[in-house]
Amino acid sequence: MAKVTGIGGIFFKCDDPKQMKEWYAKNLGLPTSDYGTNFEWQREDGSKGSTVWSPFSATTKYFDPSKKEYMINYIVDDLEALVEELRAGGVTIVDEIASYEYGKFVHILDPEGNKIELWEIAAG
């Protein structure tokens, strides 16, 4: 079975993402950029991983169809196999797998309608 191997990102809606990033930088020391901040960590096997923290505009459609104010991105080890397993299990798959130079992504819904982003990191 394909599985989640880590948390790739925590995304949340807010009224003013720029101001929110500045507040977190000033008050909590987060080194923010246009995309938020990136926390790097090391897995038990010695490989590196990272978790993104990013505020989004309160009006973003990126979290749709979920009505929640947040979305979590989970790192997975084999996205295509996991999507097949999820589809066979009746899980709602929101979109098709999208590939970028930094990995593959797809979105699903949990039983309460929370949108979840799944990410298989690109090799290398």
Side-chain angles (χ1 to χ4, degrees), residues 21-39:
K21 287 181 267 191
E22 290 170 357
W23 186 93
Y24 274 85
K26 176 184 174 187
N27 293 289
L28 297 179
L30 270 64
T32 61
S33 71
D34 288 344
Y35 302 104
T37 195
N38 192 41
F39 297 96

Side-chain angles (χ1 to χ4, degrees), residues 105-117:
F105 295 84
V106 75
H107 299 92
I108 65 172
L109 296 178
D110 74 10
E112 292 192 4
N114 297 303
K115 188 174 181 182
I116 297 167
E117 186 171 65

Side-chain angles (χ1 to χ4, degrees), residues 24-94:
Y24 274 85
K26 176 184 174 187
N27 293 289
L28 297 179
L30 270 64
T32 61
S33 71
D34 288 344
Y35 302 104
T37 195
N38 192 41
F39 297 96
E40 294 185 358
W41 40 268
Q42 190 169 353
R43 294 184 171 98
E44 289 181 16
D45 68 3
S47 64
K48 292 184 178 183
S50 65
T51 301
V52 175
W53 170 94
S54 185
F56 280 70
S57 167
T59 60
T60 186
K61 301 296 181 200
Y62 191 63
F63 297 10
D64 289 356
S66 175
K67 302 298 182 210
K68 305 294 178 150
E69 301 295 314
Y70 63 89
M71 182 174 65
I72 298 175
N73 167 298
Y74 292 100
I75 300 168
V76 301
D77 59 1
D78 186 342
L79 186 60
E80 291 178 11
L82 182 56
V83 167
E84 288 180 28
E85 293 169 14
L86 294 171
R87 190 172 278 127
V91 172
T92 301
I93 311 295
V94 175

